[in-house]
Amino acid sequence: MGPLEPNPVEFVIGLICFFFLFRILGKRVLPRIERTLAEREEATGGRLAQAERVREEAVRLHEERRTQLDAARHEAARIRQEAAEEGAALVAAARAEALREREETVLAAQVQLAASRVVAEAELREDVVASALELAGRVVGEPLAGLPRTEAVVARFRAEQEAAAG
């Protein structure tokens, strides 16, 4: 007998053993292997599905935060713009108030200056008249103040000065 011509008894016993082992493997071992593989697939697939849900939730939260951040930036820009406009308005109002106060101060100073000038001119005229009378009295040799003719000359001088001023 050779390798191409098997012994029929060994061949039949070999076939019976083969089918017996095949049946035991098919009924007991293979279902357990398939169940274990299914459990592993379910566990892996469940984790993948859970990971996908977590990723989608993270993306959604990221977008929400980005939207909130954009809204906050926009609000901050609006508040800065309002503050700048309000500051400009306050500066303009303060500048206008300062200009008004300056004009009032200048006007009051001009009025005060004009009044002081009038008073000074009047006092100067009196001093000029008094000095002129004293000097004329020294030249003549007797006091000229209080004489009617002197008073008339002084009154005429004052009238001329008032006419020239007004």
Side-chain angles (χ1 to χ4, degrees):
M1 299 232 202
L4 295 177
E5 295 178 15
N7 185 354
V9 175
E10 288 180 5
F11 183 71
V12 172
I13 293 175
L15 278 177
I16 291 172
C17 287
F18 173 77
F19 285 116
F20 178 72
L21 285 175
F22 186 74
R23 182 177 174 99
I24 290 174
L25 286 176
K27 294 257 186 195
R28 304 245 181 205
V29 177
L30 287 177
R32 287 182 186 170
I33 292 174
E34 287 178 3
R35 189 173 43 239
T36 305
L37 288 175
E39 288 173 0
R40 287 183 182 175
E41 181 65 31
E42 182 180 318
T44 306
R47 287 184 185 153
L48 287 176
Q50 182 182 8
E52 183 63 27
R53 284 192 305 271
V54 168
R55 189 188 67 77
E56 288 173 358
E57 179 69 15
V59 168
R60 185 185 62 78
L61 288 175
H62 178 71
E63 290 301 320
E64 283 181 14
R65 297 297 186 262
R66 180 177 285 156
T67 302
Q68 290 174 350
L69 186 59
D70 288 344
R73 284 181 182 147
H74 179 68
E75 181 68 17
R78 185 188 60 79
I79 290 171
R80 278 193 307 273
Q81 180 65 28
E82 286 177 1
E85 290 172 359
E86 186 176 317
L90 289 174
V91 167
R95 185 174 286 143
E97 178 67 20
L99 288 174
R100 185 189 59 77
E101 287 179 7
R102 185 190 78 179
E103 292 300 322
E104 288 176 359
T105 304
V106 167
L107 184 61
Q110 287 175 343
V111 167
Q112 180 66 33
L113 186 60
S116 296
R117 194 179 104 229
V118 168
V119 168
E121 284 177 0
E123 288 176 357
L124 187 59
R125 281 189 195 116
E126 291 300 321
D127 286 345
V128 167
V129 168
S131 296
L133 287 176
E134 183 182 332
L135 192 57
R138 284 185 187 171
V139 170
V140 173
E142 36 183 272
L144 298 177
L147 297 175
R149 185 169 178 147
T150 308
E151 292 298 323
V153 170
V154 169
R156 191 178 53 182
F157 173 73
R158 288 184 181 150
E160 288 175 3
Q161 288 298 317
E162 288 178 8

